[in-house]
Amino acid sequence: ATNLPLGPNDLNIGSETTPYWYLNGSVSAPPTDGKLAPDLSFLNAKYIAPGSAPRKNPVAVSVQFHPPDNPKSLLTLVCNIRIVTASYKVTLHGEITGPKGIHFLVNGVSYRNLHSYADGTYALLSYDGSKNMHLTVSAAGVPGKMWLVSPLEYDIPVVINIGNIKKGPAPAKVSIESFSPTQMGGYTAEDYWTPGGIMNFPGYISHTFTPVFYQIAVNSAKETKNQAVADMGFLQRLKAHEGDAAYLRSAQGRADLQKMQQYMEAHGRGDLFSHMQHPSSKPSAYSEAFVKGMQGTQTHPGSYGPPPGMNTPNVMNGLLHLPGTFNPKSGNSMTIFEEASPGGGLQGTLIVKVQKLH
């Protein structure tokens, strides 16, 4: 339920005026859109979300009224509420402080569901199928030298992979791939006030967090490099046999598909091919065999050889890899706290929490 921040002081409505409330533009919306319950004054309303995401999402809650200073006009206020079906809330808090007022403050949130893989591992996947966490940057820079023109809001990729939870708490790995806005693999605009005017420093937030948590960043880079070297063999084989559908049905080809599935899981894309029910109109024999093979590794991995890294969570790429323990039976399923003081007066904290919603 969401209490809308509407009241007499906000709307400046006199007692002689009664607002009209609408849900998706209707006074009698179907129950699948949720329920809207105004109070006796009609100045406040509570929206109660449905049990599952409605077809029209976000849901539009609106109120119409005649302003007291202009009773002939009709004013409409609209609040769009997105309904998500998720079992876990993931939050991130990162802060860096230092001399001369340096201050960086980021907070992130995403809503996720627990997804199981056939190799005994699990992942917390965003409700929309992406890796996205919505990040808010409320402070970044040094007063008098450079400071954000305005707070930033954007999505960053965050991967959370978990070991086998069937017997209780299991190891977990978190990969934070960036703290800055990105597009097509590159950093995008971050506008700052400077003594010389507004300047653009793409990736500045990420480049600030990385040296503060330097040792974690170094270990993350080594971990990614070692895994990349180990994966290079099967990637080269797949490249060498590109277009050869028969290879994908051979013992080595099936084993390489199994390895590819584990590689995709480490990147947070372990369910990429599971939803491909409608192939292109004229798929090649190779692409059809590849997709069917990848779907097979996700449903019947035993037919493709022993899954590599059975029951073991892995992540790849990203600025920081953070280890933790996931407890499926706890309301606070996971908390990761990292603190660093790299010298020069700099201090940093990084907190990732996973909270079970229901």
Side-chain angles (χ1 to χ4, degrees):
T2 301
N3 286 311
L4 302 179
L6 303 174
N9 294 332
D10 299 310
L11 299 179
N12 193 26
I13 302 174
S15 59
E16 72 279 7
T17 304
T18 301
Y20 292 87
W21 291 88
Y22 301 92
L23 187 58
N24 282 335
S26 172
V27 294
S28 57
T32 52
D33 288 347
K35 183 179 179 181
L36 189 61
D39 64 11
L40 295 178
S41 71
F42 285 90
L43 298 177
N44 299 281
K46 176 181 286 188
Y47 172 67
I48 302 173
S52 59
R55 175 178 293 182
K56 187 176 181 180
N57 201 8
V59 173
V61 175
S62 58
V63 59
Q64 288 185 342
F65 62 95
H66 296 280
D69 57 350
N70 190 1
K72 292 184 178 181
S73 66
L74 184 65
L75 186 63
T76 302
L77 302 178
V78 181
C79 177
N80 292 310
I81 303 173
R82 179 168 295 279
I83 311 302
V84 301
T85 303
S87 300
Y88 292 89
K89 179 181 180 181
V90 182
T91 58
L92 179 149
H93 174 84
E95 186 167 13
I96 293 174
T97 58
K100 299 181 180 180
I102 184 173
H103 189 208
F104 288 78
L105 181 61
V106 301
N107 287 288
V109 62
S110 66
Y111 294 89
R112 304 193 174 206
N113 291 301
L114 194 62
H115 180 87
S116 64
Y117 294 121
D119 62 1
T121 63
Y122 290 74
L124 281 173
L125 301 180
S126 178
Y127 72 93
D128 61 359
S130 69
K131 299 189 289 183
N132 290 344
M133 169 179 281
H134 193 69
L135 196 72
T136 300
V137 183
S138 53
V142 183
K145 291 188 176 181
M146 58 184 301
W147 200 254
L148 274 179
V149 171
S150 61
L152 299 176
E153 288 194 33
Y154 49 87
D155 291 332
I156 62 171
V158 175
V159 175
I160 304 177
N161 289 335
I162 303 165
N164 196 326
I165 60 173
K166 291 183 178 180
K167 296 183 179 180
K173 295 293 291 288
V174 177
S175 172
I176 302 172
E177 298 188 8
S178 174
F179 287 100
S180 291
T182 59
Q183 186 176 13
M184 301 297 290
Y187 292 118
T188 59
E190 292 176 32
D191 293 326
Y192 292 83
W193 292 106
T194 71
I198 297 178
M199 297 188 69
N200 181 260
F201 296 93
Y204 189 71
I205 299 170
S206 280
H207 295 155
T208 302
F209 270 84
T210 304
V212 172
F213 297 95
Y214 175 76
Q215 194 55 53
I216 301 175
V218 169
N219 293 340
S220 300
K222 289 181 179 178
E223 185 178 8
T224 294
K225 180 181 179 181
N226 292 339
Q227 191 172 342
V229 170
D231 292 341
M232 188 59 67
F234 88 91
L235 290 173
Q236 289 175 336
R237 282 194 300 272
L238 284 175
K239 182 66 176 177
H241 291 87
E242 189 173 7
D244 183 3
Y247 175 76
L248 298 179
R249 292 188 286 269
S250 69
Q252 184 62 64
R254 293 168 76 86
D256 287 344
L257 288 173
Q258 182 75 288
K259 183 65 176 176
M260 173 62 82
Q261 169 62 16
Q262 194 269 344
Y263 178 81
M264 289 167 52
E265 290 177 17
H267 280 81
R269 299 294 188 187
D271 65 337
L272 182 62
F273 294 96
S274 61
H275 307 296
M276 295 184 66
Q277 304 299 328
H278 303 287
S280 58
S281 57
K282 295 181 179 180
S284 67
Y286 177 81
S287 63
E288 191 171 21
F290 182 83
V291 172
K292 288 185 176 180
M294 291 305 301
Q295 291 175 336
T297 66
Q298 296 169 358
T299 55
H300 302 92
S303 301
Y304 292 79
M310 187 77 176
N311 302 320
T312 303
N314 288 299
V315 291
M316 196 167 182
N317 292 342
L319 296 174
L320 303 175
H321 298 172
L322 307 174
T325 300
F326 181 84
N327 185 355
K329 296 183 179 180
S330 173
N332 294 317
S333 305
M334 184 168 70
T335 299
I336 296 173
F337 175 79
E338 297 286 348
E339 189 171 20
S341 300
L346 283 177
Q347 303 231 358
T349 58
L350 195 61
I351 304 172
V352 177
K353 288 186 177 181
V354 177
Q355 177 187 1
K356 193 173 185 178
L357 298 177
H358 55 78

